[in-house]
Amino acid sequence: MTETLEPALPPEVEERAQRVLELACEKEVFLTTAESCTGGLLAALLTDVPGCSHIFERGFVVYSKQAKCDLLDIERHRVESCGAVSEEIAVAMAKGALKRSKADIALSITGYAGPPGKDDDGEEGLVHFACARKNGKLTHREEHFGEVGRQGVRLASLEVALEMIEEALND
């Protein structure tokens, strides 16, 4: 089980994280993350399970538009034209994380954990996920978690992210 995050996580999230990491270790598949609205929470979870954390290659916390461009090699005009919270940017984040790491699977998360900022016209609880594999396979999911608060969106995002990673590991 997780060590430092245990008090804050529902048991099913902890159990799935353990299962995903054990499967990644068994298959020797290295993981990376590119996170926006979760602020690195997925990376923290993937490094919190004793005996399995070595399978996590690196994480990118790209909360701002500029960070997405600088760290994940996304062109600024793409972020501006489709919005930082979109399928296109989630996919670009996952591909950029693979490109900028030595991982085999990258999972990206971008969304609105709380009410959108003054310059955004987004929907609270809207989150886009993308999971990219080095072999080129890519999946995307769009979730509408609603107005469940920042913690609610972040925990729900962890569940979806772990599910997508597990599916990629089983392909």
Side-chain angles (χ1 to χ4, degrees):
M1 285 298 160
T2 62
E3 287 186 352
T4 58
L5 294 174
E6 182 181 5
L9 293 176
E12 59 273 9
V13 172
E14 281 188 88
E15 291 164 10
R16 177 162 253 165
Q18 179 92 30
R19 191 168 62 244
V20 164
L21 287 166
E22 288 172 355
L23 184 58
C25 285
E26 177 185 310
K27 295 185 174 203
E28 296 182 13
V29 173
F30 290 87
L31 309 174
T32 188
T33 59
E35 301 177 71
S36 184
C37 67
T38 48
L41 191 54
L42 179 59
L45 178 59
L46 294 174
T47 59
D48 205 40
V49 177
C52 296
S53 61
H54 68 280
I55 209 71
F56 183 73
E57 207 275 326
R58 71 182 72 181
F60 300 89
V61 178
V62 290
Y63 202 73
S64 71
K65 292 176 182 177
Q66 192 61 48
K68 289 171 179 65
C69 299
D70 293 347
L71 297 176
L72 300 174
D73 203 28
I74 301 172
E75 295 172 351
R76 182 67 186 219
H77 73 86
R78 288 180 69 196
V79 177
E80 295 298 338
S81 67
C82 14
V85 178
S86 63
E87 177 179 352
E88 184 172 331
I89 296 306
V91 167
M93 287 170 62
K95 288 180 177 180
L98 274 183
K99 180 179 176 184
R100 298 282 174 109
S101 73
K102 296 185 184 325
D104 303 297
I105 294 176
L107 192 291
S108 70
I109 306 170
T110 184
Y112 298 110
K118 60 180 166 74
D119 296 332
D120 294 315
D121 60 354
E123 165 196 337
E124 184 172 350
L126 169 64
V127 182
H128 286 271
F129 303 83
C131 187
R133 289 200 59 142
K134 267 212 166 136
N135 67 9
K137 185 164 183 178
L138 186 124
T139 57
H140 165 265
R141 275 183 58 179
E142 177 179 323
E143 295 289 338
H144 299 266
F145 298 120
E147 296 178 17
V148 295
R150 295 179 92 70
Q151 180 179 353
V153 170
R154 287 177 170 161
L155 287 175
S157 293
L158 287 180
E159 292 182 48
V160 171
L162 290 168
E163 181 181 319
M164 290 179 75
I165 294 169
E166 188 172 19
E167 287 170 1
L169 286 165
N170 284 318
D171 273 350

